[in-house]
Amino acid sequence: MMSRSVKSIIALVVCAVLAACAFTAFGFSKSFGANTDRSANGKVIFFNLKPEATAAWEEVARKYKDETGVTVSIVTPTGGQYEKRLKTEVEKNANKPDDMPTLFQINGPVGYANWKDYTADLTNSSLYTQLSNKNLAFMDNGKPVAVPYVTENYGLIYNKALLARYADLKDAKLKPEEDGKSFEDQITSFGKLKAVADDLQKRKDELGIDGAFASAGFDLSSDWRFKTHLANMPLYYQFVKNNVNGQPQSINYDYVDNFRKIFDLYISDSTTPVSQLSTKTGEDAVYEFALGKAVFYQNGTWAWGDLSKAGIKPADVGMLPIYIGAKGEEKQGMATGSENYWCINKKASKKNQQATNAFLSWLLTSNYGKDALANKMGFATPFIGFPKAENPLVQAAVEYTAKPGKVPVKWVFLTMPSNGWKDDVGSDLLTYAQATKDGMTSIGAEKAWDTLKSAFVNGWAKEYKIAHGRS
């Protein structure tokens, strides 16, 4: 028989093994050089870039605290002030690492240049290990330092019900989809889009709408749609034509006048006179579209939350690419990419870094977290084991991209040299829009457009030099 002392030794060994297993199971790992146990009294301070998802994030934070006791603070700077507010908080708390933001966002290579001194190595973090394709991570010296948490698409969201009603009118520029061709397959160029939009505007009373396009507002909540996302279109075609990769020191005038074509269409076939665009908000455009006052609305898959709250039905939305009259655009897909890279702040306290990693692990692996990201927020996420998004705009974009021969438009706006460049382009776009009150080709409008072209091209070179410390 086994002696009592031997039994005692074996029992102690078994206990030690079980304790070690528990130690590992509760998150003790090499991540950030210490444990990620949720009981470590750390906290999460998340700087959220997406105002439309704030309510959903706050719900997630409450759920996580109920389950773990760990506080997740959601900070959402608005009005285009994300970078400024983040910088202020980081500098203010330079000597107080426990109050530093722990989880923040960059938009890609340009954003990383500003924040590379703060980004932790994510090799052992759930952010990186849960990626379905590790090539999506942003790397520096072979180490992942930022991970995209959502891939997105933008284009022209359209109201299917209104287009169907229009297609039934005599001499409409579209045929009913019942005839065998979808609206997406009928509108495959700027020329066709313009013909349809002009006719919609002409027959707006007959259709009970205020305009073909929702208002192109230049309030801070809306102007990014034009100075950034719409400006991507001429840059994309220019970069393709000139084989540009990465961020160029300078650009040229190729396709800048195509930028004018589509913007002219937005403001001439609009729900709103140009004199009112300076105060029109993103929310105004949402409600104009969702309530059936506009047929087209430039935005992306992330807009579904706002649109659904405003009352539009999932079956009534579709998406088209943004056409600008470029050669070969009939093969164009949606603008597809990500400017949503999460980073963990390595200058935050160790316990808060650990708490942040534990929170992300829960978010990316729990059924609740997956549902919150994929369905409540409507994100198309690049992580393992996520459900198919219920967001109808994501579904529409994916289906369109899957059409044979379609080529997605890259998000080259991530290489824009500075926010100053965007702001100058946005300001000059508004000035141009207001100058068109006397006619699209009036002397004032032509002069304003020349000013914008200079800001677009010469401003790029100037801002690049500033950003790279050159005089």
Side-chain angles (χ1 to χ4, degrees), residues 223-275:
D223 67 343
W224 53 270
R225 294 189 292 136
F226 314 109
K227 68 184 184 183
T228 303
H229 285 184
L230 188 60
N232 185 82
M233 299 307 300
L235 288 171
Y236 165 74
Y237 278 104
Q238 184 179 137
F239 285 17
V240 170
K241 177 182 177 182
N242 299 316
N243 296 312
V244 173
N245 291 301
Q247 184 186 47
Q249 296 183 32
S250 62
I251 59 174
N252 58 41
Y253 292 99
D254 288 349
Y255 301 102
V256 179
D257 285 335
N258 295 81
F259 184 30
R260 183 180 185 177
K261 284 183 178 181
I262 184 62
F263 187 68
D264 280 356
L265 195 62
Y266 284 4
I267 62 176
S268 60
D269 291 347
S270 174
T271 58
T272 306
V274 293
S275 60

Short mmCIF file of all heavy atoms in Angstrom, two decimals, residues 223-275:
data_model
loop_
_atom_site.label_atom_id
_atom_site.label_comp_id
_atom_site.label_asym_id
_atom_site.label_seq_id
_atom_site.Cartn_x
_atom_site.Cartn_y
_atom_site.Cartn_z
N ASP A 223 -19.06 67.23 -43.03
CA ASP A 223 -18.16 67.65 -44.10
C ASP A 223 -17.10 66.62 -44.46
O ASP A 223 -16.58 66.59 -45.57
CB ASP A 223 -17.50 69.00 -43.79
CG ASP A 223 -16.53 68.95 -42.61
OD1 ASP A 223 -16.59 67.97 -41.82
OD2 ASP A 223 -15.73 69.89 -42.46
N TRP A 224 -16.78 65.70 -43.51
CA TRP A 224 -15.80 64.65 -43.80
C TRP A 224 -16.24 63.75 -44.94
O TRP A 224 -15.41 63.11 -45.60
CB TRP A 224 -15.56 63.80 -42.53
CG TRP A 224 -16.81 63.27 -41.92
CD1 TRP A 224 -17.56 63.87 -40.96
CD2 TRP A 224 -17.49 62.04 -42.24
NE1 TRP A 224 -18.67 63.09 -40.65
CE2 TRP A 224 -18.64 61.96 -41.42
CE3 TRP A 224 -17.23 61.00 -43.13
CZ2 TRP A 224 -19.53 60.89 -41.47
CZ3 TRP A 224 -18.11 59.93 -43.17
CH2 TRP A 224 -19.23 59.88 -42.35
N ARG A 225 -17.53 63.69 -45.20
CA ARG A 225 -18.02 62.85 -46.30
C ARG A 225 -17.50 63.33 -47.65
O ARG A 225 -17.37 62.55 -48.60
CB ARG A 225 -19.55 62.82 -46.32
CG ARG A 225 -20.16 62.15 -45.09
CD ARG A 225 -21.65 61.95 -45.23
NE ARG A 225 -22.40 63.18 -45.21
CZ ARG A 225 -23.39 63.47 -46.05
NH1 ARG A 225 -23.74 62.61 -47.00
NH2 ARG A 225 -24.04 64.62 -45.95
N PHE A 226 -17.17 64.62 -47.72
CA PHE A 226 -16.78 65.21 -49.00
C PHE A 226 -15.28 65.54 -49.06
O PHE A 226 -14.62 65.24 -50.04
CB PHE A 226 -17.64 66.45 -49.26
CG PHE A 226 -19.08 66.18 -48.98
CD1 PHE A 226 -19.71 66.75 -47.88
CD2 PHE A 226 -19.80 65.29 -49.76
CE1 PHE A 226 -21.04 66.45 -47.58
CE2 PHE A 226 -21.12 64.97 -49.47
CZ PHE A 226 -21.74 65.55 -48.37
N LYS A 227 -14.77 66.14 -47.97
CA LYS A 227 -13.35 66.53 -47.99
C LYS A 227 -12.43 65.33 -47.81
O LYS A 227 -11.23 65.43 -48.09
CB LYS A 227 -13.08 67.57 -46.90
CG LYS A 227 -13.18 67.04 -45.47
CD LYS A 227 -13.00 68.17 -44.46
CE LYS A 227 -12.99 67.65 -43.02
NZ LYS A 227 -12.89 68.76 -42.04
N THR A 228 -12.98 64.21 -47.35
CA THR A 228 -12.18 63.00 -47.16
C THR A 228 -12.66 61.87 -48.07
O THR A 228 -11.95 61.43 -48.98
CB THR A 228 -12.21 62.55 -45.69
OG1 THR A 228 -11.75 63.61 -44.86
CG2 THR A 228 -11.32 61.33 -45.49
N HIS A 229 -13.89 61.40 -47.86
CA HIS A 229 -14.36 60.22 -48.59
C HIS A 229 -14.61 60.49 -50.08
O HIS A 229 -14.25 59.67 -50.93
CB HIS A 229 -15.61 59.67 -47.93
CG HIS A 229 -15.32 58.94 -46.65
ND1 HIS A 229 -16.27 58.29 -45.91
CD2 HIS A 229 -14.15 58.76 -45.99
CE1 HIS A 229 -15.71 57.75 -44.84
NE2 HIS A 229 -14.43 58.02 -44.87
N LEU A 230 -15.23 61.62 -50.41
CA LEU A 230 -15.43 61.92 -51.83
C LEU A 230 -14.11 62.27 -52.50
O LEU A 230 -13.87 61.89 -53.65
CB LEU A 230 -16.44 63.06 -51.99
CG LEU A 230 -16.90 63.32 -53.43
CD1 LEU A 230 -17.57 62.09 -54.02
CD2 LEU A 230 -17.84 64.52 -53.50
N ALA A 231 -13.25 62.99 -51.77
CA ALA A 231 -11.94 63.35 -52.33
C ALA A 231 -11.09 62.12 -52.60
O ALA A 231 -10.13 62.17 -53.38
CB ALA A 231 -11.21 64.30 -51.37
N ASN A 232 -11.41 61.00 -51.96
CA ASN A 232 -10.70 59.75 -52.23
C ASN A 232 -10.84 59.32 -53.69
O ASN A 232 -9.92 58.70 -54.25
CB ASN A 232 -11.27 58.64 -51.34
CG ASN A 232 -10.51 57.33 -51.46
OD1 ASN A 232 -9.48 57.13 -50.83
ND2 ASN A 232 -11.03 56.41 -52.27
N MET A 233 -11.97 59.64 -54.30
CA MET A 233 -12.24 59.13 -55.65
C MET A 233 -11.24 59.65 -56.69
O MET A 233 -10.63 58.85 -57.41
CB MET A 233 -13.68 59.44 -56.04
CG MET A 233 -14.73 58.80 -55.14
SD MET A 233 -14.51 57.01 -54.94
CE MET A 233 -14.65 56.47 -56.63
N PRO A 234 -11.04 60.98 -56.83
CA PRO A 234 -10.03 61.43 -57.81
C PRO A 234 -8.62 60.96 -57.44
O PRO A 234 -7.82 60.65 -58.33
CB PRO A 234 -10.15 62.96 -57.77
CG PRO A 234 -10.80 63.28 -56.47
CD PRO A 234 -11.72 62.13 -56.20
N LEU A 235 -8.32 60.91 -56.14
CA LEU A 235 -6.99 60.45 -55.73
C LEU A 235 -6.78 58.98 -56.10
O LEU A 235 -5.71 58.60 -56.58
CB LEU A 235 -6.83 60.63 -54.21
CG LEU A 235 -6.68 62.06 -53.71
CD1 LEU A 235 -6.75 62.10 -52.19
CD2 LEU A 235 -5.37 62.68 -54.20
N TYR A 236 -7.80 58.16 -55.90
CA TYR A 236 -7.69 56.74 -56.23
C TYR A 236 -7.36 56.56 -57.71
O TYR A 236 -6.41 55.83 -58.06
CB TYR A 236 -8.99 56.02 -55.90
CG TYR A 236 -9.10 54.65 -56.53
CD1 TYR A 236 -8.36 53.57 -56.04
CD2 TYR A 236 -9.93 54.43 -57.65
CE1 TYR A 236 -8.44 52.31 -56.65
CE2 TYR A 236 -10.01 53.18 -58.24
CZ TYR A 236 -9.27 52.13 -57.74
OH TYR A 236 -9.34 50.90 -58.34
N TYR A 237 -8.10 57.21 -58.59
CA TYR A 237 -7.86 57.05 -60.02
C TYR A 237 -6.51 57.63 -60.43
O TYR A 237 -5.81 57.08 -61.30
CB TYR A 237 -9.00 57.68 -60.83
CG TYR A 237 -10.18 56.75 -60.94
CD1 TYR A 237 -11.33 56.96 -60.19
CD2 TYR A 237 -10.14 55.65 -61.78
CE1 TYR A 237 -12.42 56.09 -60.28
CE2 TYR A 237 -11.21 54.77 -61.88
CZ TYR A 237 -12.34 55.00 -61.12
OH TYR A 237 -13.40 54.12 -61.21
N GLN A 238 -6.11 58.72 -59.78
CA GLN A 238 -4.79 59.30 -60.06
C GLN A 238 -3.68 58.35 -59.63
O GLN A 238 -2.71 58.14 -60.36
CB GLN A 238 -4.64 60.64 -59.32
CG GLN A 238 -3.33 61.35 -59.63
CD GLN A 238 -3.21 62.68 -58.91
OE1 GLN A 238 -2.15 63.00 -58.38
NE2 GLN A 238 -4.27 63.48 -58.89
N PHE A 239 -3.83 57.74 -58.45
CA PHE A 239 -2.80 56.83 -57.95
C PHE A 239 -2.70 55.59 -58.84
O PHE A 239 -1.60 55.09 -59.10
CB PHE A 239 -3.10 56.41 -56.52
CG PHE A 239 -2.82 57.48 -55.48
CD1 PHE A 239 -2.66 58.82 -55.84
CD2 PHE A 239 -2.72 57.15 -54.14
CE1 PHE A 239 -2.42 59.80 -54.89
CE2 PHE A 239 -2.47 58.12 -53.18
CZ PHE A 239 -2.32 59.45 -53.56
N VAL A 240 -3.84 55.08 -59.31
CA VAL A 240 -3.83 53.93 -60.21
C VAL A 240 -3.14 54.28 -61.52
O VAL A 240 -2.28 53.54 -62.02
CB VAL A 240 -5.26 53.43 -60.47
CG1 VAL A 240 -5.27 52.40 -61.60
CG2 VAL A 240 -5.87 52.82 -59.21
N LYS A 241 -3.49 55.42 -62.07
CA LYS A 241 -2.92 55.86 -63.35
C LYS A 241 -1.41 56.03 -63.26
O LYS A 241 -0.66 55.66 -64.18
CB LYS A 241 -3.56 57.18 -63.78
CG LYS A 241 -2.99 57.77 -65.06
CD LYS A 241 -3.65 59.11 -65.39
CE LYS A 241 -3.04 59.73 -66.63
NZ LYS A 241 -3.65 61.06 -66.94
N ASN A 242 -0.95 56.58 -62.15
CA ASN A 242 0.47 56.91 -62.00
C ASN A 242 1.26 55.89 -61.17
O ASN A 242 2.39 56.15 -60.77
CB ASN A 242 0.61 58.31 -61.38
CG ASN A 242 -0.01 59.38 -62.26
OD1 ASN A 242 0.17 59.40 -63.47
ND2 ASN A 242 -0.77 60.28 -61.65
N ASN A 243 0.62 54.73 -60.89
CA ASN A 243 1.28 53.66 -60.14
C ASN A 243 1.85 54.13 -58.80
O ASN A 243 2.98 53.81 -58.43
CB ASN A 243 2.40 53.02 -60.98
CG ASN A 243 1.88 52.33 -62.22
OD1 ASN A 243 0.92 51.56 -62.15
ND2 ASN A 243 2.48 52.63 -63.36
N VAL A 244 1.05 54.90 -58.09
CA VAL A 244 1.48 55.43 -56.79
C VAL A 244 1.15 54.42 -55.70
O VAL A 244 0.03 53.92 -55.60
CB VAL A 244 0.78 56.77 -56.48
CG1 VAL A 244 1.10 57.22 -55.06
CG2 VAL A 244 1.18 57.83 -57.49
N ASN A 245 2.13 54.12 -54.87
CA ASN A 245 1.93 53.28 -53.69
C ASN A 245 2.41 54.06 -52.47
O ASN A 245 3.43 54.74 -52.51
CB ASN A 245 2.72 51.97 -53.80
CG ASN A 245 2.15 51.07 -54.88
OD1 ASN A 245 0.98 50.69 -54.83
ND2 ASN A 245 2.97 50.72 -55.87
N GLY A 246 1.67 53.96 -51.38
CA GLY A 246 2.07 54.71 -50.20
C GLY A 246 1.68 56.17 -50.31
O GLY A 246 0.80 56.55 -51.09
N GLN A 247 2.35 57.00 -49.53
CA GLN A 247 2.03 58.43 -49.50
C GLN A 247 2.99 59.21 -50.39
O GLN A 247 4.18 59.29 -50.11
CB GLN A 247 2.11 58.97 -48.06
CG GLN A 247 1.68 60.42 -47.95
CD GLN A 247 1.90 60.99 -46.56
OE1 GLN A 247 2.96 60.80 -45.97
NE2 GLN A 247 0.89 61.67 -46.02
N PRO A 248 2.50 59.84 -51.47
CA PRO A 248 3.37 60.62 -52.35
C PRO A 248 3.69 61.99 -51.77
O PRO A 248 2.91 62.55 -51.00
CB PRO A 248 2.55 60.75 -53.63
CG PRO A 248 1.14 60.76 -53.15
CD PRO A 248 1.10 59.83 -51.96
N GLN A 249 4.83 62.54 -52.14
CA GLN A 249 5.19 63.88 -51.69
C GLN A 249 4.33 64.94 -52.36
O GLN A 249 4.11 66.01 -51.80
CB GLN A 249 6.67 64.17 -52.00
CG GLN A 249 7.65 63.28 -51.27
CD GLN A 249 9.08 63.64 -51.56
OE1 GLN A 249 9.41 64.81 -51.81
NE2 GLN A 249 9.97 62.65 -51.55
N SER A 250 3.84 64.62 -53.56
CA SER A 250 3.02 65.57 -54.30
C SER A 250 2.03 64.82 -55.17
O SER A 250 2.19 63.62 -55.43
CB SER A 250 3.90 66.48 -55.18
OG SER A 250 4.61 65.70 -56.14
N ILE A 251 1.00 65.51 -55.60
CA ILE A 251 0.02 64.95 -56.52
C ILE A 251 -0.16 65.92 -57.68
O ILE A 251 0.43 67.01 -57.68
CB ILE A 251 -1.34 64.69 -55.81
CG1 ILE A 251 -1.90 65.99 -55.23
CG2 ILE A 251 -1.18 63.63 -54.73
CD1 ILE A 251 -3.30 65.85 -54.64
N ASN A 252 -0.99 65.54 -58.67
CA ASN A 252 -1.22 66.44 -59.80
C ASN A 252 -2.72 66.68 -59.98
O ASN A 252 -3.52 66.32 -59.12
CB ASN A 252 -0.56 65.90 -61.07
CG ASN A 252 -1.07 64.52 -61.44
OD1 ASN A 252 -2.27 64.23 -61.35
ND2 ASN A 252 -0.16 63.63 -61.87
N TYR A 253 -3.08 67.28 -61.10
CA TYR A 253 -4.48 67.68 -61.31
C TYR A 253 -5.34 66.59 -61.96
O TYR A 253 -6.53 66.82 -62.24
CB TYR A 253 -4.53 68.95 -62.17
CG TYR A 253 -3.98 70.16 -61.45
CD1 TYR A 253 -2.68 70.60 -61.68
CD2 TYR A 253 -4.76 70.86 -60.53
CE1 TYR A 253 -2.17 71.70 -61.02
CE2 TYR A 253 -4.26 71.97 -59.86
CZ TYR A 253 -2.97 72.37 -60.11
OH TYR A 253 -2.46 73.48 -59.43
N ASP A 254 -4.75 65.42 -62.20
CA ASP A 254 -5.52 64.34 -62.82
C ASP A 254 -6.77 64.05 -62.00
O ASP A 254 -6.71 63.83 -60.79
CB ASP A 254 -4.68 63.07 -62.92
CG ASP A 254 -3.59 63.15 -63.97
OD1 ASP A 254 -3.61 64.11 -64.76
OD2 ASP A 254 -2.70 62.26 -63.98
N TYR A 255 -7.92 64.05 -62.66
CA TYR A 255 -9.23 63.67 -62.11
C TYR A 255 -9.81 64.68 -61.10
O TYR A 255 -10.89 64.43 -60.56
CB TYR A 255 -9.18 62.28 -61.45
CG TYR A 255 -8.78 61.19 -62.42
CD1 TYR A 255 -7.49 60.70 -62.41
CD2 TYR A 255 -9.68 60.70 -63.36
CE1 TYR A 255 -7.09 59.71 -63.32
CE2 TYR A 255 -9.30 59.72 -64.26
CZ TYR A 255 -8.01 59.23 -64.24
OH TYR A 255 -7.63 58.25 -65.15
N VAL A 256 -9.13 65.80 -60.87
CA VAL A 256 -9.69 66.79 -59.94
C VAL A 256 -10.98 67.38 -60.51
O VAL A 256 -11.93 67.66 -59.78
CB VAL A 256 -8.67 67.90 -59.60
CG1 VAL A 256 -9.29 68.92 -58.66
CG2 VAL A 256 -7.43 67.29 -58.96
N ASP A 257 -11.04 67.56 -61.81
CA ASP A 257 -12.28 68.07 -62.41
C ASP A 257 -13.39 67.01 -62.41
O ASP A 257 -14.57 67.37 -62.48
CB ASP A 257 -12.02 68.58 -63.84
CG ASP A 257 -11.30 69.94 -63.84
OD1 ASP A 257 -11.44 70.67 -62.84
OD2 ASP A 257 -10.58 70.23 -64.82
N ASN A 258 -13.02 65.75 -62.32
CA ASN A 258 -14.04 64.70 -62.12
C ASN A 258 -14.65 64.81 -60.72
O ASN A 258 -15.84 64.51 -60.52
CB ASN A 258 -13.42 63.32 -62.30
CG ASN A 258 -12.94 63.08 -63.71
OD1 ASN A 258 -11.85 63.52 -64.08
ND2 ASN A 258 -13.72 62.38 -64.52
N PHE A 259 -13.84 65.23 -59.77
CA PHE A 259 -14.31 65.52 -58.41
C PHE A 259 -15.41 66.58 -58.49
O PHE A 259 -16.45 66.49 -57.82
CB PHE A 259 -13.11 66.02 -57.61
CG PHE A 259 -13.34 66.30 -56.15
CD1 PHE A 259 -14.28 65.61 -55.40
CD2 PHE A 259 -12.56 67.24 -55.50
CE1 PHE A 259 -14.45 65.86 -54.05
CE2 PHE A 259 -12.71 67.50 -54.15
CZ PHE A 259 -13.66 66.81 -53.41
N ARG A 260 -15.20 67.58 -59.35
CA ARG A 260 -16.19 68.63 -59.51
C ARG A 260 -17.49 68.09 -60.10
O ARG A 260 -18.59 68.49 -59.68
CB ARG A 260 -15.63 69.73 -60.41
CG ARG A 260 -16.57 70.92 -60.60
CD ARG A 260 -15.95 71.97 -61.50
NE ARG A 260 -16.77 73.17 -61.59
CZ ARG A 260 -16.43 74.27 -62.26
NH1 ARG A 260 -15.27 74.32 -62.90
NH2 ARG A 260 -17.25 75.30 -62.28
N LYS A 261 -17.39 67.17 -61.04
CA LYS A 261 -18.59 66.61 -61.68
C LYS A 261 -19.55 66.00 -60.66
O LYS A 261 -20.75 66.29 -60.65
CB LYS A 261 -18.20 65.54 -62.71
CG LYS A 261 -17.65 66.05 -64.02
CD LYS A 261 -17.40 64.86 -64.95
CE LYS A 261 -16.88 65.31 -66.31
NZ LYS A 261 -16.67 64.16 -67.21
N ILE A 262 -19.00 65.13 -59.81
CA ILE A 262 -19.87 64.45 -58.86
C ILE A 262 -20.35 65.41 -57.78
O ILE A 262 -21.51 65.35 -57.36
CB ILE A 262 -19.18 63.20 -58.26
CG1 ILE A 262 -20.12 62.43 -57.34
CG2 ILE A 262 -17.91 63.57 -57.54
CD1 ILE A 262 -21.35 61.87 -58.02
N PHE A 263 -19.50 66.33 -57.36
CA PHE A 263 -19.93 67.28 -56.32
C PHE A 263 -21.01 68.21 -56.87
O PHE A 263 -21.98 68.54 -56.17
CB PHE A 263 -18.74 68.09 -55.81
CG PHE A 263 -19.08 68.96 -54.64
CD1 PHE A 263 -19.40 68.40 -53.41
CD2 PHE A 263 -19.08 70.34 -54.76
CE1 PHE A 263 -19.73 69.20 -52.32
CE2 PHE A 263 -19.41 71.16 -53.68
CZ PHE A 263 -19.73 70.58 -52.45
N ASP A 264 -20.87 68.63 -58.12
CA ASP A 264 -21.91 69.45 -58.76
C ASP A 264 -23.25 68.73 -58.75
O ASP A 264 -24.30 69.33 -58.53
CB ASP A 264 -21.53 69.78 -60.20
CG ASP A 264 -20.54 70.94 -60.31
OD1 ASP A 264 -20.21 71.54 -59.28
OD2 ASP A 264 -20.09 71.22 -61.44
N LEU A 265 -23.20 67.43 -59.01
CA LEU A 265 -24.44 66.64 -59.03
C LEU A 265 -25.07 66.61 -57.64
O LEU A 265 -26.28 66.75 -57.49
CB LEU A 265 -24.13 65.23 -59.52
CG LEU A 265 -25.34 64.38 -59.94
CD1 LEU A 265 -26.07 65.01 -61.12
CD2 LEU A 265 -24.88 62.96 -60.30
N TYR A 266 -24.24 66.45 -56.63
CA TYR A 266 -24.73 66.42 -55.25
C TYR A 266 -25.47 67.71 -54.88
O TYR A 266 -26.50 67.67 -54.19
CB TYR A 266 -23.57 66.26 -54.26
CG TYR A 266 -22.98 64.88 -54.14
CD1 TYR A 266 -23.38 63.81 -54.93
CD2 TYR A 266 -21.98 64.64 -53.20
CE1 TYR A 266 -22.83 62.56 -54.79
CE2 TYR A 266 -21.41 63.38 -53.05
CZ TYR A 266 -21.83 62.34 -53.86
OH TYR A 266 -21.26 61.10 -53.71
N ILE A 267 -24.91 68.85 -55.29
CA ILE A 267 -25.48 70.13 -54.82
C ILE A 267 -26.54 70.70 -55.75
O ILE A 267 -27.35 71.53 -55.33
CB ILE A 267 -24.37 71.17 -54.57
CG1 ILE A 267 -23.60 71.50 -55.85
CG2 ILE A 267 -23.42 70.68 -53.47
CD1 ILE A 267 -22.55 72.62 -55.67
N SER A 268 -26.56 70.24 -57.01
CA SER A 268 -27.59 70.76 -57.93
C SER A 268 -28.87 69.93 -57.87
O SER A 268 -29.98 70.47 -58.00
CB SER A 268 -27.06 70.80 -59.36
OG SER A 268 -26.68 69.51 -59.80
N ASP A 269 -28.73 68.63 -57.65
CA ASP A 269 -29.90 67.74 -57.54
C ASP A 269 -30.12 67.39 -56.07
O ASP A 269 -30.16 66.22 -55.67
CB ASP A 269 -29.68 66.47 -58.36
CG ASP A 269 -29.70 66.74 -59.86
OD1 ASP A 269 -30.11 67.85 -60.26
OD2 ASP A 269 -29.29 65.85 -60.63
N SER A 270 -30.26 68.39 -55.25
CA SER A 270 -30.25 68.22 -53.80
C SER A 270 -31.57 68.58 -53.15
O SER A 270 -32.40 69.29 -53.73
CB SER A 270 -29.14 69.10 -53.20
OG SER A 270 -29.17 69.10 -51.79
N THR A 271 -31.74 68.12 -51.93
CA THR A 271 -32.89 68.51 -51.11
C THR A 271 -32.76 69.93 -50.59
O THR A 271 -33.73 70.51 -50.12
CB THR A 271 -33.00 67.59 -49.88
OG1 THR A 271 -31.78 67.68 -49.13
CG2 THR A 271 -33.25 66.15 -50.27
N THR A 272 -31.56 70.49 -50.69
CA THR A 272 -31.23 71.73 -49.99
C THR A 272 -30.56 72.75 -50.90
O THR A 272 -29.61 72.39 -51.62
CB THR A 272 -30.28 71.41 -48.81
OG1 THR A 272 -30.87 70.40 -47.99
CG2 THR A 272 -29.99 72.64 -47.97
N PRO A 273 -30.96 74.02 -50.87
CA PRO A 273 -30.26 75.05 -51.64
C PRO A 273 -28.84 75.25 -51.11
O PRO A 273 -28.57 75.06 -49.92
CB PRO A 273 -31.11 76.30 -51.43
CG PRO A 273 -31.93 76.04 -50.22
CD PRO A 273 -32.13 74.57 -50.15
N VAL A 274 -27.92 75.65 -52.00
CA VAL A 274 -26.51 75.79 -51.62
C VAL A 274 -26.31 76.81 -50.50
O VAL A 274 -25.34 76.71 -49.74
CB VAL A 274 -25.63 76.14 -52.84
CG1 VAL A 274 -25.61 74.97 -53.82
CG2 VAL A 274 -26.10 77.42 -53.51
N SER A 275 -27.19 77.78 -50.40
CA SER A 275 -27.06 78.81 -49.37
C SER A 275 -27.20 78.25 -47.95
O SER A 275 -26.80 78.89 -46.98
CB SER A 275 -28.11 79.91 -49.58
OG SER A 275 -29.42 79.37 -49.52
#
